[in-house]
Amino acid sequence: MRHLMRAETVGNTEPSARSEPSARSGDEGAPGAGPRVKTWHMVRGQETRAMCGRRLAADSVTRSDEDWGRTEEPMCHTCGALYLREVP
């Protein structure tokens, strides 16, 4: 099964701001600033419900599961535990 990391974000949630390939860490209140990644979650396939049960935006930033543990932002502990039980 293919997994993806999907971002839980704060700040501007306009769809155009979410379409950028990398997550930004700027000020969440800055005018014109895109969303800031609060936490990374793991999802199965293209789902919008994280493995921990949290609903995430369908257009939120995604990354390969190979990036798990390699980001500045924190990872969801529950998603991580469940993910490790599903991958070899």
Side-chain angles (χ1 to χ4, degrees), residues 7-84:
E8 175 184 351
T9 58
V10 295
N12 184 352
T13 57
E14 295 175 15
S16 61
R18 289 190 181 188
S19 63
E20 296 190 14
S22 62
R24 291 180 279 178
S25 301
D27 295 333
E28 61 189 74
R36 182 178 61 84
V37 174
K38 176 181 176 185
T39 307
W40 287 101
H41 293 272
M42 192 62 72
V43 298
R44 294 175 185 99
Q46 295 292 325
E47 291 183 16
T48 57
R49 184 180 296 268
M51 293 175 73
C52 68
R54 181 174 297 274
R55 282 273 184 205
L56 303 169
D59 62 347
S60 64
V61 178
T62 59
R63 288 189 171 187
S64 165
D65 61 340
E66 293 177 9
D67 287 340
W68 189 258
R70 298 184 177 126
T71 63
E72 292 180 22
E73 303 84 11
M75 313 295 171
C76 172
H77 182 269
T78 303
C79 283
L82 294 169
Y83 171 70
L84 290 175

